[in-house]
Amino acid sequence: MSLEALLYHLVDIFHRDRIIVTFVKEIKGKRLHLLFPTGREELISSQALVSAGKQRFSPENLQALQNLLKERQEKREKLKETFDLKELWEVVTEEMERSSSWELVELYLGRPPDCDEVSAFMRRALEDKLYFAFEEIDTLRIRRRDEVKALQLQREREQERLRLLNEGDIYLSALLSGKGDNLTAERKAFWQEAFKEFVLKEGTSETGRLAEEVLKRHQLADPLKVVTLLSRAGLVEEDWFFELEKMGFPGGFKKEELEETERVRLTSRDSSLRDLTGLFTFTIDAPETEDFDDALSIEERGEKIILYVHIAEVSSYIRPGSPLWNGALERASTLYLPEGVLPMFPFTLSHEKFSLKQAEPRPALTFRFEIESSNQILSFDIFPSLIQVQKRYTYREVDDLLLQGEPLFRRLYSLLMKHKEARYKKGALAVILPEIQVRVSPDGKITLQRIEMTPSRDLVAEAMILTNYHSAKFLAEREIPVIYRTQKEPFQVIEERVDSLYHQILQLKYMARSELSLEPGYHSGLGLHYYTTLTSPIRRFLDLLVQHQLEAYLKGERFLSKEELLRLLPDLQANLQRASYLQNRRKKYFLLKYLQRYHSQDTFRGILLEVQGRKAKVYLPDYNLTGEALGFKENLSAGMEITVKPEKINPLQEVLRLKIV
């Protein structure tokens, strides 16, 4: 049908999600000048045409035409309910692929139809969309049986989805208002899990997407807001550490790992182990430490001192590709969280079999240094050994011994500090701020402990740095593939950092990140040209890996190739970043919760780090936390010391807003 043939006819068009009868006043190219039942006139594309009547009307009396349009619109809407589309479809579906609406209605009625009946049928078919599909004006395609079946299934699913969304709306509204609902326990449990799944997986699962749609209706499609809601309703623990699961950190040990753990039997009578059980061997750790992976022994020989650094033997029992090896790689390190420890190995290994516990013989990898009083290392040797820790010292006990002038410890400390001084003369640039240790007891009490770098901690740290450096150099010189730690030079050196806490923090901003590399390189923080870590194989996968490479070389066994390490490196880097994030995130959460619970009305000493207009970053030295101050009127500048009090604390969102007082 040509467009010109429609002039002065009644036509049905799609308009704003409805089908409306109109009168064609003019034809303007591909557009129709139409009169609507409301009296409004509008130019509409011919593509909007649905159905056309065969009767021609006079355009002179617009009011009469408008009344006619209203009458026909109402009539056609009523007539459409008289058609049983399925009945007609069953007759024609096997006989034809498409047909005019006039033919279909005539077949259905058993007589020639009028234009109102055809229009009503088209309206019914296009609203239903199940049995017939629109092709062009007054023409429909008859859907195949498989197509109809698929559409029916789709509609059932959509109806179920809408039912679920309505149910979710009811449940969420009840949670928000604190009022009851009429849902069964089973349906409540479904939505609780759906909201949890949204938090953990967001839009990556069907249930999570369903929950997200419900949450969007209430402007709550934010995982942290949902965690708060679930926590307040008592549906999750108050301090639910959802990031562990969200980031895929292993929540426990697999069956294969536990079975391998049971098979681990330590060797104590191997003739290849050098027996050092006669040495006075000791550990220096915090009082709460239970996993000991390093110990020391000292011998004095005139002006010389022999330092033994013993590292827990792990790599002989955890082999590459084994379940425990793969599990350790996945974890990357032990997580020390405020509420407890998530070990890299099962407790029976990390805290028992591998741990260098007092009075129990243990296989170890020993690093022997023969050192002159001038700090020159005369010899360095590495060998498997059998040791037995005679004494467990705490840091405080060793600090007391140093203060009292105990000769052996004083001499060892003096030698190691000379090594540290030599590093700093070579350019070492490290900024070490006091550590805030956070502990959460089973009853929920939060306690903080400020840990300073005392002489005993400095002693142990330097002994480990010495061991790691010489081991890295040993491996590099023998071209044994290993993963090194490197750190580029700072982007800027702040000379005032020595006497100013503000400048120390500013220096941190300009420090390059430590990196993992298959080639040795300079480590600016330590002032060393070779560095790796192998002194904590119970707690860190990298240390286990380096220990494996070193021991394999010493025993003449196969070590991992450079290509194998290259394939392993991306996973190790990603897993280390994840472990670091989780540990820092959890610590900050409880630090903020501590302030919120115990000191929300107190004032604190703060140091201004940045000032931009009426917005400032403020560092709290007593808590090693940075907050934000807004809207102050004073003229302030970076480096100033100020007094602040909390204005808003949200541990979950890591918000610390401060007010300058």
Side-chain angles (χ1 to χ4, degrees), residues 256-269:
E256 296 83 357
E257 293 176 274
L258 297 174
E259 288 174 348
E260 185 181 352
T261 297
E262 291 299 313
R263 294 194 296 270
V264 172
R265 298 287 183 271
L266 298 189
T267 302
S268 59
R269 297 185 179 180

Side-chain angles (χ1 to χ4, degrees), residues 295-307:
L296 303 173
S297 302
I298 312 169
E299 286 185 318
E300 286 187 292
R301 295 185 183 175
E303 292 299 310
K304 294 183 293 185
I305 189 169
I306 310 297
L307 168 64

Side-chain angles (χ1 to χ4, degrees), residues 266-280:
L266 298 189
T267 302
S268 59
R269 297 185 179 180
D270 190 335
S271 59
S272 66
L273 301 181
R274 191 178 302 184
D275 191 344
L276 300 181
T277 54
L279 284 176
F280 175 66

